[in-house]
Amino acid sequence: MRMTGADILLECLLEQGADTVFGYPGGAVLNIYDSLYKYKDKIRHIITSHEQHAGHAADGYARATGKTGVVLATSGPGATNLVTAIATAQMDSIPLVAVTGNVNLDLLGLDSFQEVDITGITMPVTKHNFLVRDAGDLAGTVREAFFIAGDGRKGAVLIDIPKDVTAAFADYEPAENGYRAANALKKRENPDLERQIKEAAELLRVCERPYIYTGGGVISAGAEKELALFARIIDAPVSSSLMGQGCFDQTDSRYIGMLGMHGTKAAAETVRHCDLFVALGTRFSDRVTGDKTVFAKGAKILHIDIDEAEHGKNVTPHIEVRGDLKEILARFNKMLPRRHNGDWNKKAKRLHSVHSAKQKGTVEFPVTPQAVITELDRLTDGEAIITTEVGQNQMWAAMYYRYKTPRSFISSGGLGTMGFGLGAAIGAKIGKPEKVVVNIAGDGSFGMNMNELITLAEHNIPVIELVLNNSVLGMVRQWQRLFYGKRFSETTLDRSFDYMKLADAFGIAAFKIKREDDVEPVLAKALETAKNRPVLIECEIDRDLNVLPMVPAGKPITDPIMEID
Amino acid sequence: MVNRGFQSRAANHAACDMEKQTFVLRTENRVDALRRVAGIFSRNGCNIETVNARPEGNASVMEITVFLSGEKARELKKALNRLYDVISVDVKAK
Ligand SMILES: Cc1ncc(C[n+]2csc(CCOP(=O)(O)OP(=O)(O)O)c2C)c(N)n1
Ligand SMILES: [Mg+2]
């Protein structure tokens, strides 16, 4: 079949099951948008206010559904606006395909109008990227891009297409089989797998105090069922990283909270006392290990991950197993005997029950994030998808909502991108319309993406935007309080604009939480309203609340600050 | 030739075990392959002493020499191998 490059692109998206695209038009993608006009019934396009948030929406869509997200932007500024979103997805190993237009082939390299070398710019923040110079290569490239994004350790892939390539005609044949890159698959083969599994199984058999630490890799591998059984078989306490939230049911008695800078005391103490630290699908981020030289010193470390470059990168394991977590855990579940570590588990559980102090409000701002998020958890029965911005709001969202299933907590872990949450919520809601979707935001982050309230209104996307308004860049302020002598340089936001009027201007329902008595009724009303329209909630909180516990960067994980005067 | 890589760190660690390492890579013969490979070295603060790249069949063979500790070289090997275009990586210490 002879078709234009633009039509080939869309046919190939459909081949991949990508029926939803987030994006923003412009000169270099006019041909693609012209084709989208024709494919309206088959491909849904959601236009945002800004390309960055289209990128986050595609990312949120991917995190919520497990499918590969697709974002489309024009050349030059459209493409550079995508960079933060691409880096955000890549850092969290989220499958994303970003398509950008570029200037005509003969204008490349000449500093032409709206030309940027976007493949060069995004090289360090993508898993791979392509510049397509021939319409005849387009179909193969799109298939390859989807393969790369979703294969092994997932990630972001960019395809840059000059405008004349989208206009040129080429032959297109629908593909029968999914593309498989022989080289990539070969590199993933692990000749040592059997030996590694045997050695790991031996460790698991002889240990006395095992501890399971789970990361985002469990979610991308879809290994939650295998994990649940594995935890029962080896009878170990479980904790999750920020990225791993929800891969293990947090209402399960084995769960002892998050591990890391703002993890629970119980999770950290258990690291100290365990004799086998089982790390699943995780990269030992510096936000988790703290001082690496003393991390899990008393334990053997077993690290299971699909990416060989993660073994020994941050923490050197005693035994590493490289491969697909779902398969490996299933193997362990078959070969290991069931065991009982009664006292050890009791100890971990006891630690978990004593640790966390209740947040206290003030006379002027009596409402606490803990009270709001706990109530939200109760009213939604822990079944909502929670997206977050970055800062204290993000940590509170991770700490106080109890995630029961994978893909219910969506947050920028690796890059820590303020402005991520609202776009991500849009994508999550489009991908999972049956779910309640709440973006837990901070007022600073809200300033970075409030333009996307327009998107909520325009497409009537019934997301709840819950702003925890402390009038400060709370997390930075917390560091200034602790480490910079309370010199609150540029973190006090005296922006007394009216959230209610702002929402009203966009045509969005708005509610305010100010008193403790507001919490339950306002949340209930917002949830009711959000059955068919978007909602903004402003919740006023005190500016001096801290996220606790906190392990200062680079300090031993076992020694968190529990209180700050 | 004077080694310019890791200058400041080398000064701090007089006994640093840096040695000459030659990375031999086979990559897909694509326009960007060398740039991607070079990016891994520069990101790790590692100065390339010499580089030689030539086509061989459908592939490209690159020989890159740098001064690195053995441990860092093992780490970089994995990071290089992770690149989609890279087919294989070998490290030869001198
Ligand atoms: C794009 C971006 N810029 C700056 C930062 C640094 N930063 C991290 S947390 C934070 C404060 C966030 O403020 P707010 O959204 O009000 O959240 P709070 O901590 O008050 O809950 C800042 C500025 C960042 N993470 N991302
Ligand atoms: Mg704030």
Side-chain angles (χ1 to χ4, degrees):
Chain A
M1 239 179 304
R2 294 295 278 179
M3 281 189 178
T4 65
D7 284 355
I8 292 174
L9 170 68
L10 299 191
E11 285 294 337
C12 289
L13 291 183
L14 288 169
E15 272 178 18
Q16 302 292 330
D19 55 6
T20 307
V21 173
F22 302 87
Y24 207 96
V29 285
L30 270 167
N31 295 319
I32 299 173
Y33 274 84
D34 197 43
S35 293
L36 273 170
Y37 193 80
K38 197 165 59 186
Y39 281 74
K40 243 189 194 135
D41 299 336
K42 294 188 200 152
I43 296 181
R44 180 176 185 196
H45 178 277
I46 311 279
I47 179 171
T48 53
S49 299
H50 187 292
E51 288 90 350
Q52 179 186 342
H53 306 127
H56 293 322
D59 175 329
Y61 178 90
R63 293 186 204 228
T65 62
K67 289 165 68 175
T68 295
V70 182
V71 62
L72 176 57
T74 193
S75 68
T80 53
N81 272 352
L82 278 187
V83 173
T84 300
I86 291 170
T88 302
Q90 172 68 9
M91 284 288 269
D92 288 342
S93 307
I94 303 303
L96 177 78
V97 170
V99 180
T100 48
N102 211 329
V103 298
N104 283 347
L105 284 167
D106 62 350
L107 292 174
L108 282 174
L110 305 179
D111 301 321
S112 309
F113 176 65
Q114 295 198 325
E115 183 210 354
V116 293
D117 174 12
I118 195 65
T119 44
I121 290 172
T122 58
M123 209 169 263
V125 295
T126 51
K127 193 171 165 191
H128 193 68
N129 61 23
F130 298 93
L131 170 61
V132 185
R133 289 173 183 273
D134 185 331
D137 294 338
L138 197 51
T141 304
V142 176
R143 289 168 192 148
E144 199 171 356
F146 273 85
F147 166 79
I148 298 168
D151 177 63
R153 182 173 181 177
K154 300 172 173 51
V157 181
L158 176 129
I159 309 173
D160 194 27
I161 317 175
K163 186 173 181 179
D164 46 356
V165 174
T166 62
F169 279 84
D171 283 325
Y172 166 76
E173 287 304 326
E176 289 177 4
N177 290 316
Y179 180 93
R180 320 271 295 151
N183 174 36
L185 293 174
K186 184 153 187 304
K187 278 197 290 184
R188 279 216 284 112
E189 279 171 15
N190 179 2
D192 298 327
L193 184 65
E194 293 310 314
R195 177 183 55 77
Q196 291 177 343
I197 286 189
K198 222 171 119 202
E199 287 175 2
E202 188 52 29
L203 268 188
L204 287 161
R205 259 188 220 109
V206 300
C207 70
E208 287 173 1
R209 298 180 307 281
Y211 174 30
I212 301 173
Y213 168 59
T214 57
V218 178
I219 298 173
S220 34
E224 63 273 7
K225 288 207 180 73
E226 290 74 11
L227 168 66
L229 181 56
F230 179 69
R232 258 180 282 147
I233 288 177
I234 71 164
D235 197 21
V238 180
S239 78
S240 297
S241 71
L242 186 74
M243 290 307 301
Q245 296 294 301
C247 74
F248 189 80
D249 181 354
Q250 302 188 349
T251 59
D252 188 300
S253 65
R254 283 198 175 78
Y255 189 70
I256 56 167
M258 183 160 74
L259 181 69
M261 180 174 272
H262 295 296
T264 61
K265 177 89 173 151
E269 279 290 316
T270 309
V271 175
R272 192 212 297 271
H273 296 296
C274 68
D275 69 349
L276 180 63
F277 185 84
V278 185
L280 305 177
T282 180
R283 62 189 174 88
F284 293 97
S285 147
D286 54 283
R287 281 292 185 269
V288 166
T289 57
D291 181 352
K292 281 194 268 190
T293 59
V294 296
F295 183 78
K297 257 285 171 267
K300 288 249 162 48
I301 296 176
L302 165 61
H303 186 195
I304 309 180
D305 200 280
I306 199 159
D307 182 358
E308 73 165 340
E310 291 305 340
H311 292 306
K313 186 180 86 178
N314 293 328
V315 165
T316 306
H318 297 82
I319 304 279
E320 61 190 47
V321 183
R322 175 161 66 89
D324 179 72
L325 253 179
K326 196 177 163 80
E327 283 167 27
I328 293 167
L329 287 181
R331 294 271 306 270
F332 286 143
N333 289 344
K334 277 210 195 98
M335 64 199 287
L336 292 172
R338 237 172 227 265
R339 42 183 297 168
H340 299 283
N341 315 313
D343 289 347
W344 167 237
N345 274 311
K346 258 187 236 145
K347 181 172 177 171
K349 228 185 286 175
R350 196 166 53 242
L351 280 167
H352 193 38
S353 60
V354 295
H355 87 282
S356 114
K358 225 174 145 216
Q359 278 188 330
K360 283 199 251 345
T362 58
V363 176
E364 196 187 347
F365 298 102
V367 175
T368 62
Q370 182 172 23
V372 174
I373 296 168
T374 307
E375 185 60 24
L376 181 66
D377 183 26
R378 194 182 69 81
L379 289 173
T380 56
D381 203 18
E383 302 280 351
I385 293 178
I386 305 293
T387 64
T388 80
E389 299 294 343
V390 166
Q392 294 182 313
N393 58 85
Q394 175 186 33
M395 293 303 139
W396 289 325
M399 293 160 86
Y400 299 132
Y401 199 90
R402 292 192 300 170
Y403 302 93
K404 298 194 286 195
T405 52
R407 307 193 179 284
S408 57
F409 176 76
I410 294 180
S411 192
S412 167
L415 200 65
T417 308
M418 283 173 77
F420 168 77
L422 186 50
I426 290 170
K429 186 70 188 179
I430 299 283
K432 289 273 179 191
E434 71 283 7
K435 285 275 188 181
V436 173
V437 177
V438 183
N439 181 39
I440 296 184
D443 49 313
S445 302
F446 181 72
M448 291 202 176
N449 60 17
M450 62 165 119
N451 50 354
E452 297 306 334
L453 292 179
I454 301 170
T455 310
L456 293 187
E458 180 185 354
H459 300 274
N460 193 32
I461 303 167
V463 156
I464 299 177
E465 167 82 352
L466 169 57
V467 182
L468 299 173
N469 182 8
N470 51 9
S471 297
V472 290
L473 300 176
M475 186 56 95
V476 181
R477 183 180 167 92
Q478 178 169 340
W479 284 54
Q480 289 172 332
R481 175 177 303 114
L482 282 168
F483 312 120
Y484 291 86
K486 302 192 185 175
R487 293 180 298 280
F488 298 126
S489 177
E490 300 298 323
T491 50
T492 312
L493 305 176
D494 281 319
R495 297 172 174 168
S496 52
F497 69 87
D498 188 327
Y499 281 78
M500 301 301 112
K501 281 189 189 152
L502 181 81
D504 196 42
F506 290 134
I508 287 174
F511 303 97
K512 190 169 184 133
I513 296 176
K514 170 94 190 170
R515 307 266 129 223
E516 285 168 292
D517 295 346
D518 298 337
V519 177
E520 195 272 340
V522 167
L523 285 179
K525 208 150 135 207
L527 286 164
E528 187 54 37
T529 310
K531 285 191 173 144
N532 44 42
R533 50 187 295 227
V535 175
L536 174 106
I537 308 171
E538 181 203 3
C539 174
E540 288 189 5
I541 57 170
D542 185 69
R543 62 183 55 186
D544 288 316
L545 289 170
N546 295 296
V547 180
L548 293 171
M550 175 179 186
V551 180
K555 288 284 187 308
I557 191 80
T558 43
D559 216 6
I561 300 171
M562 298 301 286
E563 242 172 298
I564 303 172
D565 330 306
Chain B
M1 200 162 85
V2 186
N3 167 36
R4 297 172 308 277
F6 282 125
Q7 226 163 41
S8 55
R9 269 206 254 171
N12 290 339
H13 307 276
C16 188
D17 59 341
M18 288 210 294
E19 52 187 335
K20 187 167 156 182
Q21 314 267 0
T22 303
F23 287 76
V24 182
L25 296 104
R26 286 175 62 79
T27 74
E28 304 283 346
N29 194 0
R30 290 183 175 165
V31 276
D32 282 335
L34 181 60
R35 190 170 174 186
R36 290 177 205 282
V37 167
I40 299 289
F41 288 101
S42 62
R43 190 176 169 190
N44 284 275
C46 175
N47 205 19
I48 292 174
E49 294 292 320
T50 66
V51 56
N52 180 311
R54 59 176 186 278
E56 201 180 278
N58 290 330
S60 166
V61 176
M62 301 178 193
E63 281 182 34
I64 295 173
T65 53
V66 292
F67 281 87
L68 276 180
S69 71
E71 194 190 331
K72 191 77 193 170
R74 275 188 295 281
E75 224 177 84
L76 285 194
K77 180 181 168 181
K78 289 183 188 174
L80 287 164
N81 200 38
R82 180 153 75 171
L83 291 175
Y84 180 70
D85 273 347
V86 169
I87 299 163
S88 65
V89 190
D90 284 305
V91 191
K92 293 176 192 153
K94 175 89 197 305

